[in-house]
Amino acid sequence: MKTKKKINRRSILYIPGNNPAMIQQGGVYGADGILLDLEDAVAPAQKDSARILVKNMIQLINFYDAEVIVRINHLSTPFGQTDLEQIVPLQPDALRLPKIESKQDVMDVLEVIEKIEKENKITDSKMKIHPMIETSVGVMNVFEIAGSSKRVDSISIGGQDLTADMGIIKTKDPTGLDYARKAVVMAAKANKIDAIDTVFADIEDMEGLREETIYAKMIGFSGKAVINPRQIEVIHDVYAPSEEEIRKAVRIIREFKKQKEKGVGVFAIDGKMIDAPIVARAQHVLDIANINIDELSSIKEN
Amino acid sequence: MKNAIGIELPEYIEGYGEVEAFKGAWKKLENEWMDSTRVAPANKAKMPHSSKMRGNLKEAILLSNPKDGMTVSFHHHLRGGDGVLIPTLMILKDMGIKDITLASSSLTSAHEELIPLIKDGTVTKIWSSGIRGKLGETISRGYLKYPAVIHSHGGRARAIRTGKLNIDLAIIAASASDKEGNATGAVGPSAFGSIGYAAIDAKYATQVIVVTDNIVDYPCLPMSIRQSYVDHVVNVEKIGDANKIASGTTRITKSPMDLRLAELAAYAIEHSGYFEEGFSFQVGAGGASLAVARFIRETMKKKNIKGSFMLGGVTSYVVEMLEEGLFNSVFDVQSFDAAVSKSLAQNTHHIEIPSTLYANPFNCGCMTNKLDIVVLGALEVDVNFNVNVITGSEGNIRGASGGHSDTASGAKLTVVVAPSFRGRIPIIKEKINNVVTPGESVDLLVTERGICVNPNHTGLEEKLKKSGLMIKDIKTLAIEVQDITGIPRQIKFKDKIVGIIEYRDGTVIDLIHEIDENEA
């Protein structure tokens, strides 16, 4: 499997694990990550065939730069253990764990994962764990879940299951999920990991998707789940840095390089202190905008 | 003898004549003069105040000297809704006429009833830019007596001007005509927009019949076809099915793959160096190529760039871009829906053009020569960038040459957009069934698995690499595709030639052979 870790998680494309045509095209749409789903998208009767398919496809298909994530079934189901046994040896970039409600839930899965890794002589695993918050208990425990392991570098909110658990209907109005979304984001921020927003279900409503993505970005989500490749463009557009942000980033990085040559680590632009985290954020903006500062001559700083 | 892309050709083909081998896209034109044969428009006469109106189509045909071996021409602006071509040929069949050469600018799904006429020898030769569906399958299986000649839109105009294609009778369907034969497709209940492909037929055919379902007061405006060329006018109940005339290829696709291809193509164009103030642009209708227009439209607005002209087959989407002021003008040789007809009739910057002005290589400047950027599709592409748009991977004739090679040769930047495989069939591969457009005319191939730059286009790869696009060697891409799909078994063909693919300059670029069904 040829994949590499991406710094971006603006878009995570869900692909049913039992659909070979969609899996083989998973990497071509430009999504930052693809989630091969063995859980909700696959009917119980097809769990085995989906697992076999995913297992073979992640070894065969080039997903290019996309982060490859496999969503397994919960350990309490008849499928969870086998999913882990079959998928962990392949070491996809990450495993998505559904319906996590506590730190102990993560620990339980990790124990199985580490056992399988040991059996397979995998000593330096880079595979990450992405817990999914889909119940009200999970929301209440999200801080400890987000910090439960060094292998957790992203958490996500599953709106469909969560609204069902809360006994409310998922609508385009964000009010019902507002607390949960912000709790998930805050837990992620506190643990310096990513938070991924839930799917937008109406694939014909691009304006609605745009509005919800703007909201998700505004409250701090790193990105959003995607259920149709057509949604990627809108999400990336919302997450694209503005011209002003890019100009500012160019200025910071240029100044940083200049100061670095002089051996200065912290400096000021327009009287504001620029330190390492601000430089890192500026570089991130340029990465998203696909700008190589060394090849840049045409953009004026102001 | 072998032509420039290595295809073995006979010196002579029965029913076609002497074969001239393709030598390169510009080889015949590079001296900038032509010494080929030429024909003059027919001399005709008409007494003053005599009527051209005939009671029905049969009466008009009887007055047009029908005879065995005659060439009858049609345009394909009615697309899948055409209700004129088949009735005309049925009348000729009933008259006992045999060995007809059918010269239609293209053939569509409306023309499958031709099959029995091919099998019974009523039609023995076909000249067309496109052949599809069951008709294509029939010809691919050797039922047409002589090979079908596949030409480009510009090539058809050239063939008529040089006398290689001599039209005895042109049947011109029009959505409006006056009683003198001034006619158009721009107005009327069956409006189809530009009638650009028929203009040359009107001028050079020995006899011209205008068939309309909408006789208007004199004069019919706009005068797309002029009365001085028209012998007879026939009023019929319907020239076709208006719903199928607007073919539905004008909507932007919802296919995620086509949209992704279009997004990548538009991004590549944006960073190619040719996307600049005053650029000229052409896209096809339908699929990924029309969707490219959507992304280009957004980028033009974002970057505040205004283009010069858009060319070719015109969709309502193109009309919207004209109305938004993104382009100065639209040159329309063929239009795709009712909204386009309205614009053509009302907007002076929406200009109807004949096919010879559009793409004929044998004149002092067809418009394809002024194109900066064209986006085209493909059925198959080989590792030398040669493109097949006429036969499918299963060997059947099922597409159209159209303006593919005309625009590809003229444009500064020719972008071919295609998925690297369809279903489980590779599209990018070592060897393809047929070549319509030579690789030398193609600059960029955009697929979902990488963008391939023709190394002959110096400097382009460097520019695109800076844009962050995934640039890939075309041979590497072909191997990557092959790893996914495997290598399909080669289709076996018999020796019999069932189609001749003429390049726009009249040389032969490829031959289509009969499918060997025992081996298929």
Side-chain angles (χ1 to χ4, degrees):
Chain A
M1 193 172 55
K2 287 177 276 175
T3 59
K4 66 180 185 194
K5 176 76 177 71
K6 287 280 286 186
I7 50 162
N8 291 329
R9 289 199 174 111
R10 296 165 299 176
S11 53
I12 310 290
L13 174 62
Y14 278 46
I15 299 172
N18 58 347
N19 188 325
M22 286 171 78
I23 297 174
Q24 76 180 0
Q25 304 291 26
V28 306
Y29 295 110
D32 290 336
I34 58 162
L35 186 142
L36 304 172
D37 192 8
L38 300 178
E39 200 220 7
D40 283 352
V42 180
Q46 292 192 27
K47 294 286 187 192
D48 290 345
S49 56
R51 190 187 304 117
I52 294 166
L53 182 66
V54 166
K55 185 182 162 181
N56 284 291
M57 290 298 247
I58 55 181
Q59 295 176 85
L60 178 72
I61 298 294
N62 186 346
F63 295 105
Y64 305 106
D65 289 339
E67 181 177 31
V68 178
I69 307 158
V70 179
R71 181 159 77 168
I72 59 160
N73 290 283
H74 198 273
L75 268 186
S76 65
T77 67
F79 316 108
Q81 178 73 26
T82 320
D83 286 349
L84 288 172
E85 284 165 9
Q86 296 294 309
I87 302 299
V88 168
L90 301 172
Q91 296 279 295
D93 294 321
L95 286 186
R96 177 76 70 92
L97 313 181
K99 297 182 185 66
I100 294 297
E101 297 196 312
S102 64
K103 182 177 178 178
Q104 191 55 47
D105 280 356
V106 179
M107 292 297 117
D108 291 347
V109 183
L110 260 180
E111 194 184 327
V112 182
I113 289 173
E114 282 166 4
K115 186 165 170 269
I116 296 167
E117 286 175 341
K118 205 172 167 190
E119 284 163 8
N120 286 274
K121 299 186 171 51
I122 297 165
T123 51
D124 185 25
S125 175
K126 301 268 189 301
M127 188 179 73
K128 300 295 182 190
I129 304 296
H130 294 171
M132 208 165 171
I133 310 300
E134 298 177 274
T135 63
S136 41
V137 177
V139 174
M140 297 316 292
N141 290 329
V142 65
F143 176 63
E144 62 162 44
I145 294 169
S148 58
S149 161
K150 277 185 185 165
R151 293 178 78 160
V152 174
D153 76 343
S154 174
I155 51 172
S156 55
I157 178 167
Q160 299 287 1
D161 283 298
L162 182 55
T163 45
D165 187 51
M166 290 166 70
I168 60 173
I169 296 164
K170 187 166 187 276
T171 65
K172 285 172 188 168
D173 184 331
T175 312
L177 282 177
D178 191 51
Y179 173 79
R181 274 193 165 112
K182 287 173 178 167
V184 167
V185 167
M186 202 54 76
K189 298 290 173 192
N191 285 285
K192 295 193 169 24
I193 63 172
D194 286 326
I196 310 297
D197 191 28
T198 187
V199 299
F200 185 80
D202 185 350
I203 60 167
E204 299 304 327
D205 182 6
M206 291 297 161
E207 268 319 298
L209 172 67
R210 183 175 291 276
E211 276 173 32
E212 191 169 285
T213 310
I214 289 169
Y215 168 77
K217 184 188 176 191
M218 189 169 65
I219 65 172
F221 278 108
S222 322
K224 196 161 172 56
V226 175
I227 49 165
N228 185 297
R230 286 193 279 129
Q231 296 181 319
I232 296 168
E233 186 201 346
V234 172
I235 294 170
H236 285 195
D237 194 43
V238 171
Y239 274 93
S242 66
E243 195 179 323
E244 194 186 347
E245 283 176 283
I246 293 171
R247 285 185 192 282
K248 198 173 154 194
V250 167
R251 206 172 159 206
I252 290 169
I253 298 297
R254 276 194 177 142
E255 190 61 26
F256 170 71
K257 292 199 167 199
K258 221 184 282 174
Q259 297 291 339
K260 202 177 153 194
E261 279 173 25
K262 294 186 210 160
V264 180
V266 178
F267 54 94
I269 292 179
D270 298 337
K272 285 179 191 157
M273 191 187 76
I274 308 293
D275 57 5
I278 293 177
V279 171
R281 201 181 311 145
Q283 186 58 51
H284 184 68
V285 167
L286 297 187
D287 287 343
I288 291 177
N290 197 21
I291 289 172
N292 181 345
I293 195 102
D294 297 324
E295 287 180 0
L296 201 68
S297 53
S298 57
I299 290 189
K300 293 210 169 54
E301 288 182 2
N302 287 304
Chain B
M1 61 180 166
K2 265 190 181 170
N3 70 12
I5 58 162
I7 305 289
E8 188 65 45
L9 302 170
E11 306 276 343
Y12 180 88
I13 297 172
E14 190 64 34
Y16 175 74
E18 282 178 20
V19 172
E20 187 183 352
F22 170 74
K23 292 183 186 68
W26 297 105
K27 209 68 194 164
K28 271 193 88 159
L29 309 174
E30 63 190 8
N31 294 330
E32 297 201 331
W33 55 273
M34 291 306 308
D35 58 359
S36 60
T37 55
R38 60 174 188 243
V39 295
N43 285 324
K44 300 183 180 187
K46 206 82 195 167
M47 295 308 287
H49 304 289
S50 61
S51 172
K52 293 180 180 178
M53 292 300 295
R54 309 297 168 226
N56 53 46
L57 186 53
K58 187 176 176 183
E59 190 186 322
I61 291 171
L62 276 170
L63 291 168
S64 304
N65 188 27
K67 55 180 191 245
D68 287 352
M70 72 188 300
T71 297
V72 188
S73 84
F74 300 86
H75 65 71
H76 74 287
H77 293 291
L78 301 173
R79 288 172 293 276
D82 183 5
V84 172
L85 186 147
I86 294 294
T88 302
L89 290 174
M90 292 311 288
I91 290 168
L92 289 166
K93 177 190 154 75
D94 290 346
M95 289 176 179
I97 306 294
K98 292 277 181 195
D99 288 323
I100 293 168
T101 296
L102 167 62
S104 180
S105 53
S106 196
L107 292 165
T108 68
S109 56
H111 303 126
E112 293 194 348
E113 289 170 61
L114 266 174
I115 294 168
L117 302 181
I118 288 171
K119 289 183 175 172
D120 72 11
T122 304
V123 173
T124 51
K125 291 181 191 169
I126 291 178
W127 285 61
S128 182
S129 74
I131 302 173
R132 300 175 175 85
K134 289 205 162 54
L135 184 59
E137 287 172 23
T138 303
I139 294 168
S140 302
R141 275 154 187 75
Y143 287 101
L144 184 67
K145 187 172 179 187
Y146 299 108
V149 181
I150 305 294
H151 50 62
S152 73
H153 290 321
R156 182 176 194 268
R158 183 221 76 248
I160 294 169
R161 280 288 286 112
T162 58
K164 201 168 176 183
L165 181 58
N166 260 308
I167 301 169
D168 296 301
L169 173 61
I171 307 285
I172 299 178
S175 62
S177 173
D178 59 36
K179 289 177 178 175
E180 291 300 316
N182 295 300
T184 186
V187 295
S190 303
F192 50 82
S194 175
I195 197 166
Y197 296 131
I200 194 154
D201 301 44
K203 198 166 174 185
Y204 288 94
T206 312
Q207 294 276 323
V208 175
I209 302 174
V210 164
V211 180
T212 188
D213 51 12
N214 180 32
I215 292 286
V216 296
D217 287 343
Y218 190 85
C220 169
L221 295 172
M223 288 180 183
S224 307
I225 301 291
R226 306 242 166 182
Q227 67 185 55
S228 50
Y229 299 122
V230 178
D231 295 87
H232 314 286
V233 178
V234 178
N235 190 17
V236 295
E237 198 181 322
K238 273 278 158 223
I239 57 167
D241 180 341
N243 291 326
K244 289 183 182 166
I245 291 169
S247 60
T249 49
T250 61
R251 284 191 303 271
I252 296 288
T253 176
K254 282 188 174 176
S255 148
M257 181 55 74
D258 280 346
L259 285 168
R260 178 64 177 158
L261 288 168
E263 186 186 10
L264 289 169
Y267 193 76
I269 288 168
E270 184 189 341
H271 293 87
S272 65
Y274 297 98
F275 182 72
E276 55 188 11
E277 189 70 17
F279 79 106
S280 56
F281 189 45
Q282 178 166 349
V283 286
S289 47
L290 180 61
V292 174
R294 188 205 117 181
F295 292 100
I296 288 292
R297 180 186 194 174
E298 286 167 12
T299 310
M300 288 177 83
K301 286 180 187 170
K302 214 178 274 179
K303 296 204 158 180
N304 199 21
I305 282 179
K306 196 178 170 217
S308 165
F309 67 88
M310 289 192 85
L311 179 62
V314 174
T315 62
S316 52
Y317 202 82
V318 164
V319 168
E320 282 171 31
M321 290 170 80
L322 174 68
E323 286 168 356
E324 285 173 350
L326 293 175
F327 285 90
N328 268 335
S329 50
V330 168
F331 293 115
D332 187 346
V333 69
Q334 175 185 15
S335 25
F336 284 98
D337 55 43
V340 175
S341 302
K342 195 175 159 203
S343 165
L344 186 65
Q346 294 175 358
N347 188 340
T348 52
H349 285 254
H350 185 156
I351 304 144
E352 183 173 20
I353 57 166
S355 57
T356 193
L357 178 57
Y358 171 53
N360 181 1
F362 286 13
N363 66 30
C364 279
C366 59
M367 282 174 167
T368 52
N369 280 0
K370 267 192 76 66
L371 262 181
D372 289 321
I373 302 167
V374 66
V375 182
L376 299 164
L379 290 172
E380 295 182 311
V381 184
D382 75 14
V383 292
N384 297 312
F385 292 88
N386 294 312
V387 181
N388 178 12
V389 282
I390 191 72
T391 47
S393 54
E394 80 294 9
N396 279 317
I397 301 173
R398 53 174 300 170
S401 164
H404 204 282
S405 64
D406 298 318
T407 53
S409 65
K412 287 180 186 165
L413 181 73
T414 297
V415 183
V416 170
V417 179
S420 61
F421 58 95
R422 291 188 176 97
R424 56 193 176 84
I425 307 294
I427 301 301
I428 316 303
K429 51 190 167 185
E430 182 71 28
K431 193 179 175 319
I432 56 181
N433 282 333
N434 287 109
V435 175
V436 171
T437 294
E440 66 175 291
S441 299
V442 176
D443 302 299
L444 262 188
L445 168 67
V446 176
T447 78
E448 79 289 2
R449 283 169 200 276
I451 290 170
C452 308
V453 184
N454 191 329
N456 295 334
H457 194 130
T458 41
L460 183 58
E461 180 165 345
E462 206 171 290
K463 275 186 195 136
L464 293 176
K465 268 188 174 159
K466 281 185 190 164
S467 72
L469 284 163
M470 182 160 52
I471 308 293
K472 217 170 251 180
D473 180 84
I474 193 164
K475 290 184 177 126
T476 310
L477 177 66
I479 291 167
E480 187 180 329
V481 173
Q482 186 183 304
D483 284 346
I484 298 171
T485 62
I487 306 172
R489 192 158 55 96
Q490 283 287 322
I491 308 290
K492 292 274 194 290
F493 294 98
K494 295 182 181 172
D495 289 339
K496 182 176 176 180
I497 298 165
V498 296
I500 297 162
I501 304 172
E502 263 196 359
Y503 189 62
R504 59 198 299 262
D505 63 7
T507 59
V508 174
I509 192 164
D510 206 353
L511 301 171
I512 305 170
H513 289 269
E514 183 185 346
I515 296 173
D516 188 344
E517 295 207 85
N518 296 324
E519 296 281 338

